[in-house]
Amino acid sequence: PGFVESSCRSRIFWMKLNKLFLQGKFFQLEIYDPYAGPVLLDDKLASRCGYMLSEDVWGNPVFRASALSCHATNEADELFTLTVNIKVSSFSSMRAAVTYTYPMYCSYPSWASREIVCEENYMEVSVKTDVPAVSNDYTVAWMSALPETQNVAYQQWQLMFVSPSGRKRVTVSDAVKLGYSFNNTLSRVYLRAPYHSNESDTSVVSGVNMNMVTSTSMYRQRWLLLLIDTTVSCPVDGISFTDTTLTWTMPRVIPTLVVQESTFLSKNIVMGVDDQVIVNPEEKNYLLKHNETHIRITIPIGAEEGRLKSSISDGVYGVTYSIELFLEHTWTDAGWQTTKYTVIKSISTPFMPQMPTVVNNTVPEERLFNVAFGHFLPDVSLVAIAIGNVPFTPREAQHHGFKVYETLFSNRTKGFILEVSFDDPYVLKEYVNRNETKYTLLVNYTLSVGPEMTLYYHSAEVECVIADIELPEAVGYCDEENLYLTLPTFGLHQYWELYLGNTLLNRHVALTNGYLAATNSTHLILQIPLFAVGVIYEEVSFQKIKARFDVALRKVRTMEILQMFSVSCSFNSSEFIICHPDGTVMISAQMKTVPAIDMSKTRLRDSSCKPREYNAAHAFFKFHVTTCGTSVRFEGDHIIYENEISYEKETLPGQSIPTITRDPDYRLTVLCYYQAKETLVLGAFVSDPVTSPPFGSATMGPRSNTAAYRRARKALNVVSRVSKDESFMEFYEPSMAIVKQYVEPVFLEVELKDESPNIELYLENCWVTRSLDFSSTPRWNITVDGQVVLNDQCTH
């Protein structure tokens, strides 16, 4: 049959079956017995009769049989024939099997005095000897009677085993029951033994564990007693590994097989792979070295004659390397003329984890992810790939627009290349730094690994940061009454936002503050009236106002300020009132009387507060709300500061009352509204600022030049403490109890540590209780609504 190959090597039949022919099928081997017909091969028969059924490193079934196997036909110890039936069926029960008969022929004309074969499942020794003949006349009649003579001789052979448990003499038929096989040919006697039998022993020779059977074969016939040493010893280990090589070590001299070591002479050492001799091992980077004690074969892991195979262990990808080696060592010694020692060894490395690597070969300028995933053996294939948790088969990925293909590397491995555009919707995008975008590709690979097609999963995250965002540039200008700011809308709200101080400048804030906001397809245009919230007055006089408007460009996520946009202009304004957040009031008053008055003689409630600047038509005042007779009152959630500009009339003395004046009345009421929004309750004595209740309370009034101004609530840093006297130089410790008489003053200091110009401290309510619970009763009020309370009675 065409799916079978065979060869002869080292007194062994080698037969290999093509796995492709047997794929999806079941097969059995039968050994043809010339006398009994086909015999089904099983493990017990194989070790006793000299057969070995296994697979090569590529998965092809391999059958090996000793030339001295139970069912081989022997012609004069030179020509050997073995016939095998190969039964193939599509069913595990082997019904409807097709039988292929395959005869094998091997010629071995020359034998050594002793030949030993160490197969994987048995040990075999054959010794050259002469079986006593009935006559010295080599006639045809004698030759025809030889099989009978041999049968009789077989019945008279006995075996003597020597082991640590003692000596044991058995007949050949009893030896067969123990799993041994013993027989003689025309010129040889052989013994075949399984490994680790009861009659065997284990010893260490030059660091290698050896399994040996010490036996003597005895033949008795009338006056003749023939004793033959049929001892056999084979290595059972001697394999070692590094990350790059495997080494097979065997003893050069085996004492149980060499009686007089001083006469030992190594004649030839040959190594091979499968059934082929490697004539020049160094050409394949193999090392075959020997010294006085050892023979070593070193094979680089990954050598072509072996096989690297992918596998998965506990979810980890890795490889194993397997190779089929044999060694032939021929030596001579005084006890034996020539010994040929053959060892067949199937070697596989332990599982070697191989962490796959993901290499980012992306060129940012191409705006295309290029990701390499490897290295893998050829027995690994890509089954599926998920981009951004969306699964695709390789075909679907190609259809979507991804590029997925294999690439080969110089070390006979391969990788998988994935190309994905930065602009693909499955790519994550994040604005970072000032003008960069971080593109993130999330990939999950699903691979089919090894002949078993085990699924393996690997995830990767690949990032690329590229400066592909242009920060907006703003343009500012003014007209007679407004400031204008124009900036591009690209990236606005997506990457960055506009902030007025700490307040997000959205449409609601713009409308509340009196701004006009207009957008087209590319730009945002802000119109800010001169006296709107947020305008900063850099210079103010009755002749001109230099005003500035600032907005900050902040990152959406981190609130980091990227740029400040400002527009600054000078305005001519004849009449205005400006209430600064810090309590400064600036007024430009215009004369509107007939006849005209002298504007230098105008004043505030406090007559000492006169104009800073003036001319014939205007007077300019600048003062603080706590000076110049300014009064304060509360209306709803507002604080209102009020003052009045009046004119000092000039009077002429008459003869009697009333006085006479030619100046008209001039009165201008000035009102500034501030929103009293936030109230902070604060204790003057607090031993634990986290858990203890506060002692007093205070009101924080953020100032603004419009009653409709709103600001975002934030934490305020306010500290209160009690001074020992009116100097406010020494203060009581926070945890110290203070005893005061009812009429004694208490010097309380409340300090606002917030440096924001938009926040001012206003003491609204202050009271005293007997305990640290600020809501407890009784209580004594010190201030109520900002006014000092005199002779306050206890409130229950």
Side-chain angles (χ1 to χ4, degrees), residues 478 483 500 515 528-530 532-540 545-551 564-571:
C478 301
L483 299 94
L500 183 63
Y515 308 157
I528 306 99
L530 174 60
V533 176
V535 176
I536 300 169
Y537 303 98
E538 298 177 308
E539 182 181 341
V540 179
I545 299 175
K546 185 177 182 182
R548 189 181 83 243
F549 182 74
D550 298 333
V551 291
M564 292 294 299
F565 299 136
S566 297
V567 55
S568 178
C569 296
S570 295
F571 295 85

Side-chain angles (χ1 to χ4, degrees), residues 631-641 673-677 699 701 762-765 784-787:
S631 63
V632 60
R633 70 178 185 270
F634 291 87
E635 287 186 8
D637 61 348
H638 292 91
I639 304 172
I640 302 174
Y641 293 95
Y673 289 79
Y674 292 91
Q675 184 177 6
K677 181 183 177 185
T699 297
Y762 178 79
L763 186 62
E764 182 182 55
N765 296 304
V784 175
D785 294 336
Q787 302 296 325

Side-chain angles (χ1 to χ4, degrees), residues 164-358:
S165 60
R167 295 175 177 268
K168 180 191 294 186
R169 179 185 294 184
V170 297
T171 62
V172 173
S173 58
D174 290 336
V176 171
K177 296 176 183 178
L178 296 174
Y180 296 91
S181 180
F182 177 85
N183 209 335
N184 66 301
T185 66
L186 178 65
S187 59
R188 307 188 71 80
V189 170
Y190 64 87
L191 173 69
R192 191 177 303 111
Y195 285 93
H196 306 295
S197 65
N198 292 334
E199 294 73 33
S200 67
D201 188 17
T202 300
S203 63
V204 178
V205 180
S206 299
V208 179
N209 285 314
M210 307 289 292
N211 189 238
M212 63 181 179
V213 175
T214 303
S215 65
T216 301
S217 302
M218 301 178 294
Y219 179 83
R220 183 182 298 276
Q221 187 178 25
R222 294 183 182 177
W223 60 88
L224 176 64
L225 177 61
L226 181 62
L227 301 179
I228 301 176
D229 184 1
T230 48
T231 296
V232 60
S233 180
C234 290
V236 294
D237 58 14
I239 309 298
S240 60
F241 306 96
T242 68
D243 292 339
T244 57
T245 62
L246 63 86
T247 300
W248 181 19
T249 302
M250 284 172 293
R252 180 169 176 265
V253 180
I254 305 171
T256 55
L257 302 180
V258 180
V259 178
Q260 299 180 41
E261 292 188 29
S262 60
T263 63
F264 176 87
L265 180 62
S266 179
K267 303 293 289 184
N268 190 31
I269 300 176
V270 176
M271 66 164 290
V273 178
D274 295 325
D275 59 344
Q276 300 297 316
V277 172
I278 305 298
V279 179
N280 297 308
E282 62 279 0
E283 292 181 358
K284 298 181 177 293
N285 292 322
Y286 298 162
L287 292 178
L288 174 59
K289 293 186 174 297
H290 57 88
N291 54 28
E292 294 299 319
T293 58
H294 293 92
I295 301 172
R296 284 192 176 90
I297 298 175
T298 301
I299 306 292
I301 291 177
E304 292 186 10
E305 282 72 16
R307 181 189 184 184
L308 279 168
K309 186 176 75 170
S310 301
S311 61
I312 303 297
S313 177
D314 294 329
V316 177
Y317 173 78
V319 299
T320 58
Y321 178 72
S322 301
I323 190 168
E324 304 279 345
L325 298 177
F326 72 84
L327 177 93
E328 290 182 356
H329 183 195
T330 304
W331 74 77
T332 61
D333 63 87
W336 299 89
Q337 293 178 352
T338 304
T339 298
K340 186 176 181 181
Y341 188 82
T342 302
V343 186
I344 300 174
K345 197 73 172 178
S346 177
I347 302 175
S348 293
T349 66
F351 176 79
M352 297 178 289
Q354 304 283 316
M355 181 57 68
T357 57
V358 175

